[in-house]
Amino acid sequence: MLAAIGQRRTFAIISHPDAGKTTLTEKLLLYGGAIHLAGSVKARRADRHATSDWMAMEQERGISVTSSVMQFEYDGYVINLLDTPGHEDFSEDTYRTLVAADSAVMLLDNRKGVEERTRQLFAVCKRRRTPIFTFVNKCDRSGADPLTLISDVEADLGIKCHPVTWPIFHSEGGSAGFVGVYDRRMGQIHLFERDESHGSKVPMVEVGSLTDPKLRDLLGAETHERLVHDIALLDEAGHPFDAAEVLSGELSPVFFGSALNNFGVEPFLREFLELAPAPSPRETTTGVIEPAQEAFSGFVFKIQANMDPKHRDRVAFVRIVSGRFDAGMQVLHGRTGKMVRLNAPQTFMARERTAVESAWPGDVVGVMDRRELRIGDSLATEPGVVFANIPRFAPEHFARVILSDPMKRKQLDAGLRQLTEEGAAQVFFTSGTDVTSPTPIVGAVGQLQFDVMMHRLAHEYGVTARLEKINSRYPRWITGSESDLARATRDPARTLLYDSKGQPLLLFENEWRMRWALDHEPGVAFHEVSP
Ligand code: G4P
């Protein structure tokens, strides 16, 4: 088992749309020849005419709503690449996926550096101290000065950077100006060529020393001088490499390349696999579980419903934390204490289906769920295992659900409960969790998520409803003594809501009012994610 764990790397890519995530993912898969694909990137592109009904919306808009996992092998490693939805409206799904990852690859466009979505996702990784590896993409065309780019990343995100590879440009710039990258760890120069060989034929030059006259001849005097100067600057003024700092998420190794041209991807992959952590121990409410422990444990981080609308079935994606998973095994369900059988999905792996017979810590398996499981649920062969909660992130849009036919309240409640369990919606009530309370309120990260909710309520539950937007959109969960909470919630400009677990939160009309409350309610703690 130790060998299986040591071989595994489970990670996700975080980036802003258009930075090249799909392209990089495809190239990574090429190296391994993907072995398990569940709704993969390749499939996503080729199968925009996929099967299930509610995904019709996804196809219409040409976006990906769902996230899944791709497993492939490379150089003796078993790699689980957790795919995340491309559209920012589904970022909550991405946040949860990051909880299942042991490390993250931050993909940047060399012209744009850190963008908004990267920033949000980085914040989630930072909170969890996830090790982060940076790949600066699109170096085949001229971009920001790499030194400026690196210092911007450091200043913007508050992380130290250590460039492992460094781009070399001819001084005339432009796409013709990209010469290749210098690998500081290996002392090699990889020369850039637009090449369809998927990286296997990239010319590489071993350089004993940067001052080698051979190198000067190869690069030309001016380019050579700049490289020597840049590297000297990095060696002297840059952050030294420190493996412990990488593992604690304080220092990010940085690589340069071009996903589209498959350039710099392989050196990146090789060094990433060497430096990235194997499956890590996870905290439970009663202590830490080591991956090598014999007894199986894992947690649900994603539920996907209606992959086949005819069957109304759900697949729960389980990240294995410890022990060995065997298809059909019986485990204890942490929330209810009942036994659950983990049946590996068959047809749901769709297109390139693979029935999973056994799996190890770090792996993700999709198991059939007969509406027993929820996001965040713990599953284990030993009793008493409850993993730390997967945080819920505050929605940015809120709306009242107004039923067209008030007699459909029961169906609405059932639909909302289901969507909440899947993590596809967040539902709030104005008076505790009493579902008979007037008009439920739904929250979403973006408008598109509302559209999916309404579509699914209509198609799966026969509920037609309209949404009435609420102006307040700055939420904070609150905790404190009863009297402090009562005082904080008295202000009529603040809306008091309860989430599906009965935890109170306040909605503010604008950021200014929220900041004011944060400063003037001493006995109340305000939380960005559910406590
Ligand atoms: P995403 O998943 O992060 O949204 O990005 P995606 O891979 O779809 O890439 C976005 C665009 O950037 C694509 O161009 C892609 O070809 C381009 N791209 C990716 N990597 C590189 C690179 O290394 N160099 C350059 N120059 N471009 C790159 P597009 O025109 O929007 O789409 P397509 O028609 O090429 O598919």
Side-chain angles (χ1 to χ4, degrees):
M1 176 147 86
L2 279 178
I5 296 169
Q7 281 179 320
R8 274 163 169 77
R9 298 290 181 270
T10 302
F11 74 102
I13 301 176
I14 60 172
S15 64
H16 193 81
D18 241 27
K21 182 160 70 92
T22 313
T23 313
L24 179 65
T25 305
E26 283 173 348
K27 297 300 189 264
L28 292 175
L29 293 179
L30 272 174
Y31 286 106
I35 53 176
H36 297 157
L37 294 165
S40 77
V41 186
K42 272 199 283 186
R44 186 198 299 161
R45 275 201 169 165
D47 282 288
R48 289 232 162 111
H49 24 264
T51 47
S52 72
D53 228 355
W54 67 273
M55 282 188 190
M57 232 161 94
E58 167 181 18
Q59 291 145 24
E60 271 166 36
R61 306 203 188 196
I63 53 148
S64 165
V65 178
T66 55
S67 60
S68 44
V69 60
M70 287 154 276
Q71 189 181 63
F72 60 102
E73 285 176 7
Y74 176 77
D75 202 16
Y77 291 94
V78 178
I79 301 152
N80 295 304
L81 170 49
L82 305 178
D83 190 23
T84 50
H87 198 282
E88 62 182 321
D89 278 9
F90 294 92
S91 43
E92 216 195 325
D93 223 4
T94 307
Y95 296 154
R96 287 189 293 251
T97 298
L98 290 175
V99 176
D102 297 312
S103 60
V105 169
M106 177 165 75
L107 183 67
L108 303 177
D109 181 317
N110 71 339
R111 285 190 183 159
K112 299 184 176 149
V114 176
E115 296 176 84
E116 186 46 37
R117 185 118 206 279
T118 332
R119 209 169 278 126
Q120 290 167 353
L121 297 172
F122 178 87
V124 177
C125 293
K126 191 167 182 180
R127 199 176 291 137
R128 304 190 58 245
R129 300 166 66 87
T130 307
I132 295 185
F133 296 77
T134 305
F135 188 88
V136 181
N137 193 25
K138 307 197 185 183
C139 288
D140 54 312
R141 54 156 175 67
S142 65
D145 166 51
L147 282 170
T148 312
L149 193 118
I150 293 295
S151 59
D152 285 353
V153 172
E154 293 190 335
D156 195 327
L157 302 179
I159 188 169
K160 294 186 220 167
C161 290
H162 174 86
V164 176
T165 63
W166 192 248
I168 310 167
F169 291 98
H170 276 317
S171 40
E172 64 266 30
S175 63
F178 183 50
V179 180
V181 294
Y182 170 59
D183 188 323
R184 293 170 74 198
R185 262 162 66 95
M186 311 299 281
Q188 293 167 341
I189 284 183
H190 298 266
L191 294 172
F192 175 63
E193 261 180 28
R194 280 169 215 278
D195 170 21
E196 293 305 310
S197 71
H198 304 305
S200 57
K201 292 195 207 127
V202 171
M204 195 251 289
V205 183
E206 298 278 353
V207 283
S209 146
L210 271 184
T211 48
D212 190 333
K214 259 203 333 242
L215 197 58
R216 191 186 167 89
D217 295 342
L218 182 76
L219 300 177
E222 204 178 318
T223 305
H224 178 244
E225 195 179 319
R226 187 141 34 90
L227 175 65
V228 171
H229 174 261
D230 280 359
I231 299 301
L233 200 66
L234 291 177
D235 286 346
E236 272 164 42
H239 297 288
F241 182 81
D242 181 330
E245 284 189 335
V246 174
L247 292 180
S248 61
E250 289 161 88
L251 181 108
S252 178
V254 182
F255 300 79
F256 290 80
S258 164
L260 188 63
N261 294 287
N262 203 347
F263 181 80
V265 176
E266 199 178 17
F268 162 72
L269 180 60
R270 248 188 286 114
E271 296 191 46
F272 165 74
L273 292 171
E274 194 189 314
L275 300 171
S280 39
R282 297 275 171 156
E283 275 183 38
T284 69
T285 48
T286 49
V288 167
I289 291 204
E290 294 291 334
Q293 127 181 347
E294 194 94 350
F296 167 87
S297 67
F299 62 87
V300 178
F301 68 96
K302 175 185 167 63
I303 289 181
Q304 184 151 347
N306 299 339
M307 287 173 102
D308 180 351
K310 287 197 267 329
H311 294 290
R312 284 265 181 132
D313 273 320
R314 311 201 299 192
V315 172
F317 289 84
V318 178
R319 152 78 202 234
I320 300 170
V321 173
S322 68
R324 174 182 152 146
F325 165 90
D326 288 304
M329 76 194 295
Q330 298 250 32
V331 296
L332 275 164
H333 183 204
R335 184 166 46 80
T336 62
K338 290 190 188 146
M339 291 301 279
V340 197
R341 183 181 290 278
L342 299 184
N343 288 320
Q346 302 288 325
T347 52
F348 294 103
M349 285 294 188
R351 295 138 238 155
E352 306 182 41
R353 97 177 64 148
T354 319
V356 180
E357 284 306 325
S358 60
W360 300 98
D363 290 346
V364 170
V365 287
V367 297
M368 293 265 275
D369 169 33
R370 299 203 168 73
R371 296 181 186 250
E372 295 161 314
L373 302 175
R374 289 189 204 161
I375 286 170
D377 279 357
S378 306
L379 301 166
T381 44
E382 303 271 287
V385 174
V386 178
F387 289 102
N389 248 341
I390 294 188
R392 302 229 62 178
F393 291 85
E396 289 162 29
H397 301 276
F398 293 85
R400 290 185 188 86
V401 188
I402 316 286
L403 273 173
S404 311
D405 175 1
M407 301 300 284
K408 293 265 170 125
R409 179 60 197 254
K410 244 189 168 159
Q411 288 87 331
L412 172 69
D413 289 337
L416 288 179
R417 199 173 326 117
Q418 155 87 13
L419 292 175
T420 308
E421 283 167 15
E422 277 174 44
Q426 292 198 44
V427 183
F428 303 93
F429 303 96
T430 42
S431 52
T433 47
D434 176 8
V435 289
T436 57
S437 80
T439 340
I441 289 165
V442 286
V445 179
Q447 175 61 38
L448 184 59
Q449 213 183 331
F450 277 148
D451 295 352
V452 172
M453 276 179 219
M454 291 296 106
H455 181 90
R456 291 191 54 189
L457 283 175
H459 283 75
E460 294 166 31
Y461 296 89
V463 175
T464 37
R466 74 186 162 78
L467 293 179
E468 194 179 85
K469 283 275 184 70
I470 296 177
N471 273 338
S472 301
R473 48 177 294 190
Y474 293 88
R476 284 290 182 272
W477 274 272
I478 48 174
T479 49
S481 73
E482 222 164 279
S483 58
D484 283 329
L485 291 183
R487 192 193 57 247
T489 54
R490 217 171 285 142
D491 184 338
R494 302 169 186 172
T495 308
L496 173 65
L497 297 177
Y498 297 88
D499 69 12
S500 55
K501 287 188 184 154
Q503 284 167 328
L505 65 162
L506 280 179
L507 269 188
F508 297 90
E509 284 170 9
N510 52 46
E511 198 169 349
W512 187 87
R513 282 189 184 278
M514 183 177 77
R515 300 250 156 263
W516 197 88
L518 261 52
D519 291 342
H520 293 83
E521 297 289 355
V524 179
F526 294 86
H527 310 271
E528 256 182 271
V529 294
S530 67

